[in-house]
Amino acid sequence: MGRETSGLKVALSGLGGDELFAGYPTFADTPRLSRLIKSAWFVPMPVRRMTAQLVAALAERQGSPDAGRKAAAAWAYPDALPHAYYFTRTLFPPGQLERIIEPRFRPSTVNADGVTLEPTWLGWLERTADEARKMEPAARVSWLEMRTYMASTLLRDTDSVSMARSLEVRVPLLDTPLVEFVGSLPDAARRRPGAQKALLVEALGDLLPEEILAQRKRTFTLPWEEWLRGRCARG
């Protein structure tokens, strides 16, 4: 939603709604992958590698090829990432990741002083996962979403794209008092089985039309394949 006042363009963003009110599929996918990872520890590694494609096929039936790929990675490499959540968000799952990163990307590296250790990206993920384990399941995923995907991707992209268009974007759902209040609630208060963003819907139900409240969540995935296969690619 946008408005122009005194020559300044201002837009309100709903960023934070999915993270705070459990709107992402990751809130359901993370517990499933967590159970899969726990089961993987009871199976020898060679057997896991041999059956990874079977796990992928079973996961695809319930989700998508991407879900199958990530489930297979979690099954074959259960210790590659410090939390099941990271398997749901990874672009290159373990098994593919090693082909593109350098060996220096390990949990920590020697700091400039030559004595202390400075965490690399993997060490930072481990630290964030340790903080999340103290929370309830839904609160845990909410914390991980806000500390990783939202902070490193969504807020950064929103800031850079809006500045490129001289657009001021406000994020009212990330207002500090609201984040602290919702973050203090138990899982039962912020999530309902079969309902998307249940707490937010209950709070705004009398302000929004039913057709809005009943809509399924839609993505805004950019059509990279269409662009790459289109005139730009042929040109």
Side-chain angles (χ1 to χ4, degrees):
M1 182 171 66
R3 185 177 181 183
E4 186 168 341
T5 305
S6 302
L8 300 176
K9 292 178 288 184
V10 180
L12 295 179
S13 170
L15 208 160
D18 288 308
E19 291 82 359
L20 277 178
F21 300 101
Y24 283 133
T26 52
F27 285 87
D29 294 342
T30 300
R32 282 198 292 265
L33 284 181
S34 181
R35 291 191 292 269
L36 181 66
I37 289 171
K38 289 179 181 178
S39 300
W41 289 116
F42 296 97
V43 181
M45 182 177 66
V47 177
R48 294 200 311 266
R49 302 285 175 83
M50 291 173 58
T51 56
Q53 290 305 313
L54 175 60
V55 171
L58 293 173
E60 283 186 27
R61 292 181 182 178
Q62 300 179 357
S64 64
D66 184 59
R69 180 170 57 91
K70 292 175 179 179
W75 174 256
Y77 308 93
D79 59 343
L81 295 172
H83 197 281
Y85 163 79
Y86 297 124
F87 284 94
T88 71
R89 282 295 185 193
T90 183
L91 181 61
F92 299 101
Q96 295 181 10
L97 188 62
E98 290 78 4
R99 303 174 190 174
I100 60 175
I101 65 173
E102 301 177 37
R104 66 184 177 86
F105 288 126
R106 49 189 182 272
S108 61
T109 185
V110 178
N111 210 332
D113 59 15
V115 179
T116 58
L117 294 178
E118 180 177 311
T120 61
W121 66 273
L122 183 57
W124 188 86
L125 293 184
E126 290 176 346
R127 179 183 298 176
T128 307
D130 288 341
E131 295 172 349
R133 289 190 181 95
K134 306 170 187 176
M135 307 172 186
E136 291 186 82
R140 188 178 305 152
V141 177
S142 177
W143 165 262
L144 290 166
E145 286 285 3
M146 288 192 289
R147 291 286 287 143
T148 58
Y149 181 55
M150 186 184 78
S152 64
T153 301
L154 298 181
L155 285 173
R156 183 200 62 188
D157 291 353
T158 299
D159 188 48
S160 60
V161 173
S162 62
M163 287 194 299
R165 293 291 180 265
S166 299
L167 177 66
E168 179 75 15
V169 175
R170 305 293 173 84
V171 284
L173 293 180
L174 292 179
D175 191 53
T176 300
L178 178 61
V179 172
E180 291 178 344
F181 172 72
V182 177
S184 67
L185 296 175
D187 277 6
R190 73 163 85 182
R191 196 169 183 218
R192 306 277 193 279
Q196 289 185 327
K197 306 180 193 174
L199 184 59
L200 184 61
V201 169
E202 290 176 11
L204 302 175
D206 58 341
L207 300 176
L208 297 174
E210 181 62 30
E211 58 267 25
I212 296 295
L213 298 176
Q215 280 189 6
R216 293 175 60 87
K217 180 172 177 56
R218 292 177 292 181
T219 65
F220 51 91
T221 304
L222 296 175
W224 296 112
E225 183 175 359
E226 180 182 338
W227 292 347
L228 291 172
R229 294 181 184 277
R231 284 185 299 174
C232 293
R234 293 193 296 269

